[in-house]
Amino acid sequence: MLRKASIVLLILYSGLLFAQTQAVPLKNGESSAYMGGTVALNHVYVSIEDLSSALGLRRFSLGSTGKVSVYSNSGSILFTPDNSFITLSKAAVPKTYQLPLPILENGGKLYAPASFIGPYLTEILGGVLRYDELTRAFTYMQRDSLTPMITDVRVQQKDNGSVVHISLSSLPKAEDAALGEDGMLYVTIMPATFNFEKLNSLPPTSVYSNVLAIQNPSSVQLSFRLKKAYNSEEVYTDSSTNSVVVNLYSHVSSKTILSDELRQKLDAEKKNWKLDVIVIDPGHGGKDPGAIGLGGVEEKNVTLAIGKDLRNDLRERLPKVKVVMTRDKDEFVPLDMRGEIANQAAGKLFISIHCNSMPHKPDGAHGLETYFLRPGKTEEAIRIAAQENAAIKYENDYEKKYRSYDADNLILTSMAHSAYVKYSERFAELIEQDVSSITPLTNDGVGQAGFLVLIGASMPAVLVETGYLSNPHDVRFLRSKVGQNKIARGITEAIIQFRAEYEKNFAQE
Ligand SMILES: [Zn+2]
């Protein structure tokens, strides 16, 4: 049983090993290379020599100091053994950065922490180097094959209005700008991507007080809160500077006409951000009972009861929102089908309901834990993910079926998920707060781990462990009608608050 599940569990468990040799893949278009690596300090480390060779960078060692410089025509990076400071030089200007983990030396070779090195090497490469935590692989993308990246926003005051310049790494296919009645300017650029931290922390300017950037499946929407009212807007691309330019006029002018097809496509993308379908996933079911708790209570029955209560609450409180359940009776639904059901229903939020349990009962561990999809950080999170993922053993052919999660598929899904991580994390926080505030369940915090059921759902997704069936106090509450009602009500509050935050600034019709 363990050997069969090892394809899946390898991803979850390898973070626990120390100083184990590990080949690190680099995907570059159609080709793959494997670089030497090791696991140290609970992180994957990659050979700087192998990585720079694979990327076509040159390299020299600084004699007895053990320092290594990696360089291209556009700059260099200096690595020092057992030191977390690296020096990046571009156009002969050196700047020092501190990595969260040190560069390590092993057998005369230097190793860099794979998770943190990509952005710095990208600075001296022609393309973008990314490391994916879930698949433990690097991906290198040439610039010309990249989606236009929004790099900066600047403003300019003119006599008859204002100008907003949005700089990109290359020209997008389509752009749209609309003034909202609420003093907002909405700009949609397709296709595009952006740096989340940077764009959502732009300082106020003379034209707007803040900017909110959202990644849609193939476009970016920027919402500017304007400082004054304008009568009309006009948008165009400036190919000489790779920018989208929005002119805001105090007087009325003619509007740019978009083709019907592009207009429809942009409108459809905007609607994607209405939180109008919520998917409830009661864990386990049918031949898979889930955890068996004190007094023989089965997890599958508790999760279904809470799921149904949640559905009823949502129908009452959010009558315009469609509620979809992955199961509404005691039946077996494979893990990958659950994400599939959510995607087919065009779900905008996915919540998987579970109960925790310890191997020995009774046990003191108690409380509510909420998870979103990211490689497991703590031993406890990894244990719980492995326990929930073990549900695949009830499926026929699971070995063949989940093998794809080990390869390219996982890179794609985890990349698709990265757009939702911030939202999933926020939703998880709200569940913790709202459920623990109206139940005796303690707030045990938000965690991250590789839950298979969350991988398939292309939307913000969380898994909530609503207390421990192995704990005498938790189980009494979990199996009671009152307890199930209260947990559902707490989750409903969290959904209502999340939906309000999520749709704020985007719900223009
Ligand atoms: Zn479960």
Side-chain angles (χ1 to χ4, degrees):
M1 202 279 282
L2 249 185
R3 234 179 51 146
K4 279 191 184 169
S6 63
I7 304 155
V8 170
L9 298 182
L10 185 72
I11 305 166
L12 305 169
Y13 278 122
S14 48
L16 299 176
L17 307 176
F18 184 79
Q20 165 220 24
T21 306
Q22 170 153 355
V24 184
L26 168 69
K27 292 177 188 279
N28 184 352
E30 298 293 293
S31 64
S32 286
Y34 286 86
M35 299 163 299
T38 183
V39 177
L41 305 174
N42 216 13
H43 270 77
V44 173
Y45 270 74
V46 62
S47 157
I48 292 174
E49 187 178 327
D50 292 358
L51 183 59
S52 54
S53 295
L55 293 166
L57 293 167
R58 286 157 285 163
R59 187 173 67 241
F60 70 87
S61 305
L62 280 80
S64 58
T65 60
K67 294 185 183 192
V68 168
S69 174
V70 169
Y71 63 102
S72 70
N73 291 338
S74 42
S76 70
I77 301 178
L78 181 67
F79 298 98
T80 307
D82 300 318
N83 194 316
S84 57
F85 291 94
I86 60 170
T87 307
L88 169 68
S89 305
K90 280 182 89 174
V93 182
K95 270 191 181 169
T96 300
Y97 298 90
Q98 185 173 20
L99 301 176
L101 289 168
I103 300 299
L104 296 178
E105 188 263 315
N106 188 18
K109 286 187 175 181
L110 294 193
Y111 290 80
S115 314
F116 306 113
I117 202 64
Y120 300 101
L121 286 169
T122 296
E123 291 287 319
I124 62 167
L125 288 164
V128 172
L129 180 70
R130 275 197 195 133
Y131 180 72
D132 188 281
E133 303 266 0
L134 223 51
T135 55
R136 301 184 164 223
F138 281 98
T139 313
Y140 181 67
M141 283 170 289
Q142 302 289 343
R143 289 264 181 223
D144 53 11
S145 66
L146 291 173
T147 307
M149 161 87 81
I150 299 171
T151 53
D152 201 12
V153 179
R154 286 174 301 110
V155 300
Q156 216 181 335
Q157 293 286 6
K158 294 253 170 110
D159 288 347
N160 56 348
S162 307
V163 187
V164 179
H165 293 267
I166 301 161
S167 310
L168 292 110
S169 59
S170 56
L171 276 186
K173 287 203 180 78
E175 61 285 329
D176 180 38
L179 286 165
E181 281 172 11
D182 45 359
M184 302 292 292
L185 167 68
Y186 302 100
V187 180
T188 310
I189 302 175
M190 184 171 78
T193 181
F194 66 95
N195 177 310
F196 191 93
E197 312 293 345
K198 178 163 186 197
L199 230 56
N200 282 315
S201 60
L202 286 172
T205 66
S206 56
V207 177
Y208 57 81
S209 54
N210 64 48
V211 189
L212 187 64
I214 286 287
Q215 181 79 57
N216 281 333
S218 61
S219 66
V220 167
Q221 185 166 359
L222 299 173
S223 303
F224 298 88
R225 186 167 295 285
L226 298 171
K227 284 191 170 162
K228 56 173 269 202
Y230 296 92
N231 284 315
S232 66
E233 76 288 335
E234 137 184 275
V235 62
Y236 61 94
T237 52
D238 177 357
S239 57
S240 67
T241 57
N242 279 346
S243 46
V244 169
V245 182
V246 184
N247 288 333
L248 297 168
Y249 296 109
S250 307
H251 63 87
V252 180
S253 83
S254 61
K255 267 191 147 189
T256 318
I257 309 293
L258 267 184
S259 77
D260 283 354
E261 194 193 348
L262 279 176
R263 163 69 59 195
Q264 275 171 13
K265 217 171 165 193
L266 286 168
D267 285 350
E269 290 258 320
K270 282 181 204 163
K271 288 211 184 71
N272 273 336
W273 284 87
K274 295 213 81 133
L275 210 162
D276 52 2
V277 182
I278 295 168
V279 182
I280 303 170
D281 174 46
H284 312 279
K287 61 187 171 183
D288 170 16
I292 311 287
L294 289 169
V297 58
E298 294 184 336
E299 181 182 355
K300 66 173 184 179
N301 296 328
V302 178
T303 61
L304 182 61
I306 295 172
K308 282 178 167 175
D309 283 351
L310 178 58
R311 176 178 62 183
N312 296 342
D313 279 2
L314 288 173
R315 281 181 177 164
E316 199 183 305
R317 302 279 303 276
L318 297 172
K320 284 187 180 162
V321 169
K322 188 175 158 193
V323 182
V324 174
M325 294 186 81
T326 57
R327 71 177 180 101
D328 58 5
K329 50 182 176 294
D330 184 18
E331 68 180 344
F332 180 74
V333 182
L335 284 188
D336 59 341
M337 262 309 286
R338 295 170 187 253
E340 196 56 41
I341 291 169
N343 295 340
Q344 291 293 335
K348 302 297 168 54
L349 188 63
F350 182 87
I351 175 164
S352 190
I353 300 168
H354 289 260
C355 305
N356 222 327
S357 184
M358 294 303 269
H360 300 288
K361 299 175 271 275
D363 186 275
H366 62 92
L368 179 86
E369 292 159 18
T370 311
Y371 292 89
F372 61 102
L373 180 69
R374 273 256 178 118
K377 266 221 164 146
T378 65
E379 218 168 305
E380 179 61 5
I382 290 165
R383 180 192 71 77
I384 293 167
Q387 191 168 303
E388 298 295 5
N389 290 347
I392 63 172
K393 67 175 183 265
Y394 294 97
E395 298 178 34
N396 303 326
D397 277 351
Y398 70 84
E399 188 179 1
K400 217 165 89 199
K401 205 159 117 189
Y402 290 96
R403 181 171 292 150
S404 63
Y405 283 113
D406 197 27
D408 297 357
N409 204 5
L410 198 54
I411 292 189
L412 290 174
T413 47
S414 63
M415 272 179 149
H417 256 278
S418 61
Y420 307 119
V421 163
K422 293 269 168 185
Y423 300 102
S424 301
E425 187 173 11
R426 176 64 184 147
F427 181 41
E429 280 169 12
L430 290 170
I431 290 176
E432 279 293 320
Q433 275 171 29
D434 291 350
V435 178
S436 64
S437 72
I438 62 167
T439 67
L441 297 165
T442 51
N443 179 341
D444 288 359
V446 170
Q448 55 187 66
F451 288 96
L452 282 174
V453 70
L454 299 183
I455 288 177
S458 300
M459 62 204 72
V462 305
L463 181 144
V464 55
E465 296 279 1
T466 55
Y468 282 76
L469 296 176
S470 48
N471 179 280
H473 300 285
D474 278 9
V475 76
R476 200 174 306 137
F477 188 71
L478 284 166
R479 70 188 307 176
S480 72
K481 201 64 216 157
V482 173
Q484 293 160 358
N485 276 169
K486 281 194 172 171
I487 292 168
R489 187 142 44 85
I491 298 172
T492 302
E493 295 300 333
I495 289 174
I496 289 170
Q497 198 178 337
F498 176 76
R499 182 169 178 263
E501 286 183 15
Y502 183 88
E503 286 195 343
K504 203 173 99 192
N505 300 331
F506 306 104
Q508 96 265 30
E509 300 282 352

